[in-house]
Amino acid sequence: MKVKKLTALLLASLMAVSMTACGGSPASGSGTGTDSSDANDGSAEESSDASGSGNEESSDNSGSDAENADESGVGGEDSGAGAADGEGFTTSVDGKLIMATNAAFPPYEYVEGGQVAGIDAEIAAAIADKLGLELQIDDMEFDSITEAVKGGKADIGLAGMTVTPDRQEEVDFTVSYATGVQVIIVTEDSDITSADDLLAEGANHVVGVQRNTTGDLYTTDDIEKAGLGTIDRYSKGAEAIQALKTGKVDCVVIDNEPAKAFVAEVDGLKILDTEYITEDYAAAMNKENPALYEAVNAALQELIADGTVQGIIDKYITAE
């Protein structure tokens, strides 16, 4: 009898240990923070949340056993960074959609009241809302956006960015959400009357552009490489406009919408009637995160189809 009682006690103890092991608390993960080190001079240096709330990290990993993601890496299938509500995609920081932009390109992005505002900011907020994520906007130099997306510091690049073959080698682009037009800004007494004057044989003008924008890319090919003039590159469009005003450049090639804002603010300038080039804007995304790309692209297509995107654009750009 004593042997039977001892055996029973041992079996009961083993069952208790087994039940404790199965019912243990799961490991809790924490979101990985990112800092933007490439903030523009003269604009909001801190990351801004489009909803106006602080950029606090999400520490709830929904009971996932995934390992913490590398801060400099992209959240892939094996990464612990941010699958939102079991949707099958990952983000750089758990629960957030990080947007890289250059907030010196009104009306697409600009700083207002310490926050990044504009067309791209509102479109990104609508995408984040559809995906159940919190939007965080990181303001940086334009030529840092692609690297931020490629390196996993940002999930999406939205900055009035044109789809070009060179950029397509670096990042994937979503469906186009807007059409941009590159125009030429000159002083009111300028002898430049059309794009043909910049491209004519024997031309020798100094053209101001924002560095690494399509205005830079196209004029470099059409004018500088063809020996028809010199391209002066600036970090911000406003700096190129100041160079025009002070006579350092003969004209500025830039997108039509910020061009209109600059001309309205600075006396003595005008936009030529002829366009330099027409282009499509899209969001840049990491090639190594196809699940997030599909989710963002699908959300953007839905927002285009239901009129949300056009409504945002119409809010900032009135028909002429």
Side-chain angles (χ1 to χ4, degrees):
M1 291 293 291
K2 288 182 180 180
V3 173
K4 289 183 179 180
K5 287 182 180 180
L6 179 59
T7 301
L9 287 171
L10 287 172
L11 287 173
S13 297
L14 287 171
M15 289 177 66
V17 170
S18 175
M19 290 176 67
T20 302
C22 293
S25 300
S28 59
S30 60
T32 305
T34 59
D35 294 324
S36 172
S37 59
D38 297 315
N40 281 332
D41 294 334
S43 63
E45 294 187 359
E46 296 182 356
S47 302
S48 58
D49 187 306
S51 65
S53 60
N55 294 326
E56 297 180 358
E57 297 177 7
S58 173
S59 59
D60 182 6
N61 208 22
S62 302
S64 171
D65 293 328
E67 297 176 358
N68 290 333
D70 186 325
E71 289 186 9
S72 63
V74 178
E77 290 183 0
D78 296 327
S79 169
D85 298 327
E87 292 292 339
F89 59 79
T90 59
T91 55
S92 300
V93 175
D94 197 24
K96 291 188 176 184
L97 182 72
I98 299 180
M99 166 186 161
T101 195
N102 174 241
F105 194 67
Y108 287 92
E109 38 267 322
Y110 56 93
V111 177
E112 183 176 70
Q115 301 286 333
V116 177
I119 292 170
D120 286 340
E122 291 204 26
I123 289 174
I127 292 171
D129 185 61
K130 268 193 173 290
L131 300 182
L133 300 170
E134 174 192 356
L135 178 65
Q136 174 181 314
I137 302 177
D138 285 353
D139 184 14
M140 61 188 68
E141 296 294 331
F142 184 85
D143 51 8
S144 297
I145 295 172
T146 299
E147 290 304 315
V149 171
K150 286 173 58 181
K153 292 182 179 180
D155 301 303
I156 184 171
L158 270 170
M161 187 176 289
T162 306
V163 180
T164 68
D166 287 344
R167 288 174 181 164
Q168 285 177 312
E169 292 181 3
E170 302 292 322
V171 294
D172 282 337
F173 282 100
T174 62
V175 61
S176 174
Y177 62 88
T179 299
V181 177
Q182 292 288 313
V183 297
I184 304 167
I185 304 175
V186 297
T187 56
E188 290 181 344
D189 59 354
S190 175
D191 59 358
I192 300 173
T193 60
S194 72
D196 291 339
D197 292 332
L198 300 178
L199 306 174
E201 185 177 352
N204 189 27
H205 295 99
V206 181
V207 180
V209 297
Q210 183 178 359
R211 186 180 295 109
N212 285 339
T213 62
T214 47
D216 181 3
L217 301 177
Y218 289 126
T219 57
T220 296
D221 287 340
D222 298 343
I223 297 173
E224 192 168 65
K225 290 182 179 179
L228 299 176
T230 303
I231 309 302
D232 275 6
R233 299 168 180 86
Y234 298 88
S235 296
K236 300 181 178 70
E239 293 174 359
I241 295 298
Q242 184 60 29
L244 174 61
K245 184 66 176 175
T246 58
K248 293 181 180 179
V249 301
D250 299 314
C251 66
V252 171
V253 175
I254 197 168
D255 181 272
N256 186 49
E257 295 307 324
K260 289 191 290 187
F262 290 139
V263 168
E265 293 173 0
V266 181
D267 292 335
L269 303 182
K270 66 180 181 180
I271 300 171
L272 297 182
D273 291 334
T274 57
E275 301 171 354
Y276 194 84
I277 198 165
T278 301
E279 55 200 1
D280 292 323
Y281 292 159
M285 299 193 66
N286 193 299
K287 287 179 175 288
E288 297 180 5
N289 196 346
L292 181 61
Y293 171 86
E294 293 297 335
V296 169
N297 197 49
L300 179 56
Q301 288 176 316
E302 291 175 9
L303 292 167
I304 292 171
D306 67 16
T308 298
V309 168
Q310 190 58 52
I312 292 170
I313 293 172
D314 290 344
K315 175 180 172 181
Y316 291 88
I317 303 174
T318 56
E320 297 182 10

